[in-house]
Amino acid sequence: MRKPRPYAIVLVLLLLWCATGCAFFAEPPEEEPPPPAPRAPAAPTAQRPAPTGHSPTQAPEPQTVPDPPRPPGERPTVLYLGDSLAMENQLSLAETVAADGRATVHSAPYSGTTLCDYLTGRPTRSLVPVRDKAAALVATHRPRVVVLQFWGNAWGFTPCMDNIPQSSARYYTRYAEDAATLTSQIASAARRAGIPRPRIIWVLQGPDAFAHDRIPRVNDLYRAQAAASGDALADAGRAVSAPGARYTWRRQLPCTDAESATPDACRNGLTSLHRTDDPLHFCLAPTTTTPRPCPAPSPGITRYTKAIADVVDRHVR
C-alpha cells in the first residue's frame, strides 16, 4: 500500500480546517458601528399666524378693551372758579357733572371776585386767599378741566381791580390782560405739577340789567382768549336769555318742557329767573349777608349749570 504523500496530507488538513470556519487566516470581524449621534433639531420653519394675529412664539399683543368703571377717587377733576354766580350754583353744577359718573367738581368760588383775584404775584389785596389761587388749586387737585365763571366785577367789589371804573376803556384792557395772565398761570402750574394742561372753559355771561353793552364786550374778550389759547366756551348766558334777544334782560322767560313738568317752576307759561329784588343772581331764595350755595330750586340756576355741564362733559370723555 502506498504511503500518502505529504502534500496530500496537508491538503486534507486544509480542507477540514476551512470547513470549521477558516478562523486562523480570516480577517478579524469588524466592530459593530456605534449608533449615530443624536441630530440637533432643525430650526423651526415659519408658521402661519394664529387667529389672534400673533405668532405662537411671540407674546400676544394687548387687546383694546373698554376701561372698567373708575372708583370715585380716580375720576377726572373739574375745577370751578368764579364769583357770586358760581357761589350760588356750585352744588347744582357738581350734581349735574357727576350725574353720569364721568367727573367730580372741586369748587372754590368767592363772591365779589373777578379774574385778578385768582392770580398770583399781584401786589394789591385780593378776596381770594393764597391757598385758593388758580395756580395753587391746579397743583393740588390736578384737574382735567378748569371752568371760569366771572360776570366782570370791578370797582366797588374787589380791590384787585385798582378802582378801575366798570365799562371804561381801562376796564376792558385790564380784563383782557388778566384773562391772558390767568390762562398762562394755569398752564405753568400744570407744567410744574407734571400733568397735562387742563382745558379752560370760559363761561359766557347772561344779560346785564343795567349796562346793556358791557356783557357783549366781556363775552368777546372770553371768545378771543379761548381762541388764542385753544380753549373752550360754555354759553350759559344764552340759556338765561330770551329767544332772539341774547343780550336783552328779562326777569321771566317762557318755560322749557322740563320746567312745565316741574311743580311751581312754571306759571302761565313763564318761569322766573330772578327775584324781584335781585336782577343779577338766579337764586330764588332770599339773599343773605353770608354767601352760600342756593338752597332753593331755581330754574335760572338749573339752566345755567346744564349749559356748563354739557360742555364739561365733552372735555372729560
Side-chain angles (χ1 to χ4, degrees), residues 154-171:
W155 57 270
F157 293 98
T158 176
C160 76
M161 282 296 287
D162 300 321
N163 294 316
I164 297 175
Q166 200 172 49
S167 298
S168 66
R170 289 178 58 210
Y171 167 84

Side-chain angles (χ1 to χ4, degrees), residues 112-119 125-129 133 158-160:
T113 58
T114 196
L115 301 177
C116 57
D117 286 288
Y118 285 88
L119 296 174
R125 188 169 64 87
S126 169
L127 300 180
V128 176
K133 299 291 189 182
T158 176
C160 76

Side-chain angles (χ1 to χ4, degrees), residues 173-194:
T173 300
R174 170 68 178 278
Y175 212 79
E177 293 172 352
D178 288 347
T181 303
L182 187 56
T183 298
S184 177
Q185 290 191 0
I186 289 171
S188 296
R191 189 164 53 250
R192 290 192 299 270

